[in-house]
Amino acid sequence: MHLQEISHPKVGIVGGGPGGSFAALHFLKLAQEKGIFPHILIFEPRDFDKPGPESCNHCAGILSSRLMRGLGKLGLELPPRIIQSELHSYALHLDHEVIQIAQPDPSRRIASVYRGAGPRLLQGKPLAGLDGYLLTQACLRGAHHIPHRVEHITWQGKPIIQTTKEEHDVDFLILATGVNSHAPLSPRFGYQPPKTTLMAQDEILRPASWPAERVNIYFNQPPGLKFGVIIPKDDYLNISLLGKDTNRVSIQEFIQAQDLRDELAYSQSSSLCSCNPRIAVGPAHGYYGDRWVAVGDAAVSRLYKDGIGSAFYTAKKAIQVALNSGISKRAFKKQYEPYCQHIHRDNRFGRWLFSFWEFMLQKPLLLKAWTQALQAEKEQSAKTQAHIRIVWGMFTGDEPYRDLLYLGLHPQALRNLFFPPQ
Ligand SMILES: Cc1cc2nc3c(=O)[nH]c(=O)nc-3n(C[C@H](O)[C@H](O)[C@H](O)COP(=O)(O)OP(=O)(O)OC[C@H]3O[C@@H](n4cnc5c(N)ncnc54)[C@H](O)[C@@H]3O)c2cc1C
């Protein structure tokens, strides 16, 4: 089953978040190199130019350096109006200490963006968001945006995409509906969405004294918190909380427990936009078949961090398989599944890292040794820094979890931990 055999293959992409737009952009790039002229439809009901949760794909919006590199390879340079803040350091708030970590490698740029056009109670004009930018780029390069929700996807020898207004049969279907809405596939496709957990998010105005280029991460308090992150986005701050297991932590509880009320000038009326989105914590099952494949969160994404980067790379791999090896279930099984499995396996290493992290937070002696190692590494060259790189990689999504775990077991890391350099 090869798209090359069809003169103008019709491709339906359901979902115009990053996964969907990246799929279109990769498709258009590779198809051009192969002399294929596809007709690409992206179904996306959200108007990303409107502020507020209805037009936003709820996310903290940190872009990893691996995503930034990928965008460059697609010929996309994010315009300054999209970038809200360049992020150069992280501050880890442990019970009695704040540890600051500067970007270990300045060439590995990370930044924050809005996904929609800014918070619901925006002060001023709508902002430019990532998802709207990517969708526009895909359309400028030849895709067509259909601004309707897909109600059903059925099968009649080919996938049939139905909105309330129209019906399209397509030669190839790409499912990019993420994990925050129901995937409208008929049971015939055998798709089972990923496991998810709920997060809490809020947006507030950034007090003038709050650093504009530093991400702050909080642990331990309130009980049940896995981590809380405060991310600067120009004039605003995004607060994102992840609870342990199924624990839900509210923003108010968090502000109170971390004693942030005065520093953030936080009151009942500070909240400009809040939501409780789902984040994927496992892979989907049955995420490809003849003439269809899922990408982004709808397939698999990196645990907790860099989901947008995963959307970029799963979309790229799926399109490479489709255009190089065909759109049969066999082709995806042979070449796409191993790629997704690789992400899933790496997430296991991530889970171990986060479990070890939580264990360490409960053990004062170990925590002390580790904070001393971190402080000592700050004086060292980037080459001999191990713990700084691990923390940066864990919380930015910048390096595979497996590499970070192995780095933690490296003699240099163990030396830095047990015999910190003076
Ligand atoms: C609180 C939180 C913080 C996060 N922070 C980060 C971060 O800092 N950095 C990072 O890289 N990742 C982060 N993520 C993960 C990131 O948001 C996702 O991995 C990423 O959005 C996945 O992109 P996607 O395109 O697969 O799905 P989505 O972004 O969810 O996009 C899916 C799209 O499909 C559309 N859609 C759904 N159903 C239909 C339908 N029936 N018909 C038509 N369209 C449909 C939706 O409107 C949406 O636009 C965070 C997630 C959460 C929950």
Side-chain angles (χ1 to χ4, degrees), residues 91-101 219-220 356-357 360-361 363-380 387-388 391 413 416-421:
L92 309 182
H93 295 254
L94 305 165
D95 275 347
H96 304 291
E97 210 169 344
V98 182
I99 302 177
Q100 289 220 36
I101 293 177
F219 305 94
N220 281 348
F356 180 71
W357 175 265
M360 188 178 70
L361 292 179
K363 304 285 170 214
L365 281 180
L366 188 57
L367 186 59
K368 189 160 179 239
W370 178 79
T371 49
Q372 279 173 354
L374 268 186
Q375 300 291 15
E377 279 185 8
K378 285 188 193 170
E379 310 300 322
Q380 292 185 303
H387 298 279
I388 288 184
V391 173
N416 289 0
L417 187 62
F418 295 111
F419 310 102

Side-chain angles (χ1 to χ4, degrees), residues 196-198 224 243-249:
T196 58
T197 192
L198 273 180
K244 286 181 190 157
D245 306 317
T246 50
N247 273 306
R248 285 175 69 175
V249 178

Side-chain angles (χ1 to χ4, degrees), residues 24 43 85 112 132 154 167 176 185 218 221 252 279 308 319 339 366 377 392 398 417 420:
F43 296 84
S85 297
S112 64
T154 55
E167 186 175 295
L185 292 167
Y218 302 80
Q221 294 300 332
Q252 280 78 6
I279 190 162
I308 306 172
I319 299 310
Y339 184 79
L366 188 57
E377 279 185 8
W392 187 266
D398 224 19
L417 187 62

Side-chain angles (χ1 to χ4, degrees), residues 13-22 42-46 48 54-64 67 111 115 131 146 148-153 162-163 175-184 197-201 231 233 238-241 275-280 295-302 304-312 314 395-396:
I13 302 180
V14 181
S21 294
F22 286 142
I42 306 179
F43 296 84
E44 173 55 62
R46 289 190 205 277
F48 295 122
E54 275 156 41
S55 42
C56 158
N57 281 320
H58 327 285
C59 159
I62 295 185
L63 305 186
S64 68
L67 172 65
R115 299 290 302 273
D131 293 24
I146 301 195
H148 303 310
R149 169 165 296 277
V150 169
E151 302 295 330
H152 301 290
I153 305 173
Q162 295 168 330
T163 70
L175 183 81
T177 43
V179 290
N180 277 288
S181 48
H182 164 76
T197 192
L198 273 180
M199 289 186 69
Q201 285 206 118
I231 299 146
K233 296 191 183 183
N238 168 285
I239 308 175
S240 288
L241 308 182
C275 60
N276 286 101
R278 296 199 160 271
I279 190 162
V295 300
D297 276 7
V300 63
S301 64
R302 185 187 152 100
Y304 305 143
K305 300 284 156 183
D306 196 26
I308 306 172
S310 304
F312 181 96
T314 51
F395 291 103
T396 59

